[in-house]
Amino acid sequence: MKKSTADAPLKGKIVALLFYEPSTRTSSSFHCATLRLGGQVLSLKNVKTSSVAKGETLEDTVRTLESYCDLIVLRHPEKGSALAASKVLKCPIFNAGDGAGEHPTQALLDLFTIYMELGADALEKGLTVTMLGDLKNGRTVHSLSNILSHFPIKLNFVSPDFLKMPDYIKKMLAEKKIQVSEYENLETCLKDTDVLYVTRVQKERFKGPDAKKLYEKAQGAYVITPDLMKKLKAKEKMIVMHPLPRIGEIDPAFDSDPRAAYFRQMKYGMILRMALLVRAT
């Protein structure tokens, strides 16, 4: 990707990356998006070395960064954290993931991926989107369900019984009259799927005395392989997406399949976030 030296809409701007949880793609794509647009980055990806370790509140931390920066990108383990932070700020803030809550910019890049891979009018014509894995804790599927509810689509949710899509998401979809089906395996629905959205089991979200047992039960329950796609008669014209990282849900042997869109999806993320940064500043 070539960078035009004449086009630097973020020149003189500083973007703060405040990440309380690990990140590779989201933090790197925001970082590179800022640099490509001519801006600079203040990165706090290890809050243990900041005043957070002394007990500073999130609100005070973002107020501090607002004093030095023009925009904040926040990832935090608590649901609703980005909203809480926004209430004390005057500068723009992006929610880069709030625990098991939402991941709005991921949903936008996922929508952009579908647009790029299946065509501009694919969503308007009606697609069948199957979400697979940890739907309870996966913030990406929560946000994606929300954004897809604006289109005439059909949704399949495939997960273990104890990792089902939260009721509040299903209620929202029902109110918008989106057709939803739930399964515990792919056998019934893969052949009709246009977009297979695979997610990892969120080990860090498992709590309580049975956490290890439940995680081990869920991990490896679903693995996309070339043989499985053939056996279950997946369409030739469809895509497989994953927000990454993958922890065994997709066999690397499938990576060379033209339907494997997850690495292209990752690249679209930086492009989409460049657009968002320009719009916000």
Side-chain angles (χ1 to χ4, degrees), residues 117-118 229 235-241 253-264 268:
E117 295 288 321
L118 297 179
M229 295 289 282
K235 294 180 179 181
E236 288 300 316
K237 187 177 180 181
M238 57 89 70
I239 56 173
V240 177
M241 299 172 61
F254 185 70
D255 292 352
S256 59
D257 192 298
R259 296 170 293 184
Y262 30 91
F263 292 120
R264 298 190 296 275
Y268 296 142

Side-chain angles (χ1 to χ4, degrees), residues 9-261:
L10 262 63
K11 184 177 181 180
K13 303 288 186 180
I14 300 175
V15 174
L17 304 181
L18 178 58
F19 280 67
Y20 288 72
E21 289 188 320
S23 171
T24 299
R25 278 147 295 276
T26 303
S27 63
S28 297
S29 62
F30 266 115
H31 194 138
C32 290
T34 302
L35 297 180
R36 287 182 179 276
L37 292 167
Q40 294 178 295
V41 175
L42 174 63
S43 182
L44 281 82
K45 293 198 290 183
N46 183 4
V47 294
K48 292 180 180 179
T49 63
S50 72
S51 290
V52 172
K54 302 174 184 177
E56 183 173 67
T57 66
L58 172 63
E59 288 81 0
D60 284 359
T61 299
V62 295
R63 280 190 180 106
T64 301
L65 293 178
E66 184 180 35
S67 300
Y68 313 137
C69 303
D70 301 284
L71 184 148
I72 297 171
V73 180
L74 173 67
R75 171 167 291 183
H76 196 278
E78 294 181 12
K79 290 177 67 172
S81 53
L83 179 61
S86 71
K87 291 180 178 179
V88 301
L89 294 173
K90 293 181 181 178
C91 77
I93 181 169
F94 281 117
N95 179 1
D98 60 339
E102 300 287 341
H103 198 341
T105 66
Q106 180 70 45
L108 288 169
L109 81 85
D110 291 340
L111 199 66
F112 184 53
T113 300
I114 295 171
Y115 176 94
M116 294 295 291
E117 295 288 321
L118 297 179
D121 60 348
L123 284 162
E124 296 294 346
K125 289 181 177 178
L127 293 176
T128 296
V129 179
T130 298
M131 300 184 188
L132 173 71
D134 186 349
L135 307 186
K136 176 183 177 181
N137 300 303
R139 57 194 171 210
T140 60
V141 292
H142 301 166
S143 291
L144 184 57
S145 295
N146 200 329
I147 203 167
L148 287 176
S149 71
H150 296 281
F151 299 91
I153 60 156
K154 177 183 177 182
L155 285 172
N156 295 321
F157 295 149
V158 183
S159 69
D161 182 64
F162 55 92
L163 293 178
K164 285 186 175 182
M165 185 68 77
D167 289 339
Y168 76 91
I169 296 289
K170 291 186 284 187
K171 180 181 178 182
M172 175 273 295
L173 293 168
E175 290 172 349
K176 295 186 177 181
K177 295 181 171 53
I178 300 297
Q179 183 179 348
V180 174
S181 300
E182 292 188 277
Y183 306 95
E184 291 191 18
N185 59 66
L186 280 169
E187 275 76 1
T188 305
C189 61
L190 184 59
K191 66 181 184 299
D192 299 317
T193 295
D194 299 297
V195 177
L196 177 60
Y197 195 95
V198 186
T199 65
R200 71 179 175 90
V201 179
Q202 306 265 319
K203 184 178 181 180
E204 65 273 24
R205 312 289 179 208
F206 283 67
K207 309 295 181 183
D210 295 327
K212 183 178 180 181
K213 180 181 178 182
L214 289 173
Y215 172 74
E216 291 176 349
K217 182 178 180 181
Q219 179 62 17
Y222 310 107
V223 180
I224 302 303
T225 66
D227 288 344
L228 181 71
M229 295 289 282
K230 183 177 181 180
K231 177 183 176 182
L232 299 186
K233 301 179 180 179
K235 294 180 179 181
E236 288 300 316
K237 187 177 180 181
M238 57 89 70
I239 56 173
V240 177
M241 299 172 61
H242 194 308
L244 302 174
R246 60 176 167 185
I247 313 295
E249 308 85 37
I250 301 177
D251 189 329
F254 185 70
D255 292 352
S256 59
D257 192 298
R259 296 170 293 184

